[in-house]
Amino acid sequence: MGANNMGSNRTYGVEKTADQSRTYYFDPRVLRRRKRLAAVFFTLAMLSHCVSFLLVYLALTQNISYYLGVMIFLPVWIVGYWFGTFFSQVLEMKLPDGSKKCIISYKTKKILNNIVFYMGILLVAVWAYFYITHILMVEKNTQLTSN
């Protein structure tokens, strides 16, 4: 009896449906793992944005060309965007009744999401400005003088 039923009180069948009147609590280990994973994703998103800011600095000080800066910036920014998206998704847990619950406070999640989002928008705006003013204008001036 005991050998076949070990751990049976902790497993749930797929055929079980959600009880609407019951409050669902999650295993603390799952919540800790999700919070750690969210912290890793947030850190990677912020590191990606910091690398992008470093590329802006290197391009401004002429250590790298603007072309190279833009070409490196694009994949780095995409990686930062995706890690920010993963961060946001890991914080949301779907309840058995179909609703979603955030594993940290809503205000904290909103602040952290806004930091990642607005840093990404700022980086795109800065690179768009540099692309227009430095790369396109240089190309236009060289085409005019070479004719």
Side-chain angles (χ1 to χ4, degrees):
M1 178 176 156
N4 291 335
N5 293 330
M6 289 182 64
S8 64
N9 60 343
R10 289 177 285 188
T11 59
Y12 299 99
V14 177
E15 68 277 350
K16 263 193 165 179
T17 59
D19 183 8
Q20 297 292 331
S21 64
R22 188 170 163 205
T23 304
Y24 291 93
Y25 297 100
F26 294 101
D27 186 9
R29 292 175 294 182
V30 172
L31 293 176
R32 276 195 306 270
R33 279 186 291 222
R34 286 182 77 104
K35 286 180 183 179
R36 286 179 186 149
L37 191 59
V40 166
F41 286 148
F42 181 77
T43 303
L44 290 173
M46 293 305 291
L47 283 175
S48 173
H49 290 327
C50 289
V51 168
S52 296
F53 278 116
L54 178 66
L55 289 170
V56 170
Y57 174 75
L58 291 175
L60 281 174
T61 59
Q62 299 296 316
N63 289 334
I64 61 173
S65 68
Y66 288 106
Y67 285 116
L68 181 62
V70 168
M71 297 310 280
I72 295 173
F73 164 75
L74 289 174
V76 170
W77 183 83
I78 291 170
V79 166
Y81 172 79
W82 280 108
F83 278 128
T85 303
F86 295 156
F87 164 73
S88 179
Q89 293 299 317
V90 164
L91 292 178
E92 295 285 333
M93 290 187 74
K94 190 171 183 180
L95 298 174
D97 63 354
S99 63
K100 290 185 178 181
K101 175 155 177 48
C102 188
I103 62 174
I104 62 173
S105 73
Y106 179 73
K107 185 177 179 181
T108 305
K109 178 190 173 204
K110 187 174 181 179
I111 290 170
L112 295 175
N113 275 338
N114 285 339
I115 289 171
V116 171
F117 175 74
Y118 288 119
M119 279 183 71
I121 295 298
L122 176 68
L123 283 164
V124 169
V126 166
W127 275 109
Y129 171 76
F130 285 131
Y131 187 76
I132 291 169
T133 60
H134 290 83
I135 297 173
L136 291 180
M137 295 300 173
V138 169
E139 283 182 6
K140 183 179 176 184
N141 290 337
T142 55
Q143 288 174 358
L144 291 175
T145 57
S146 64
N147 287 336

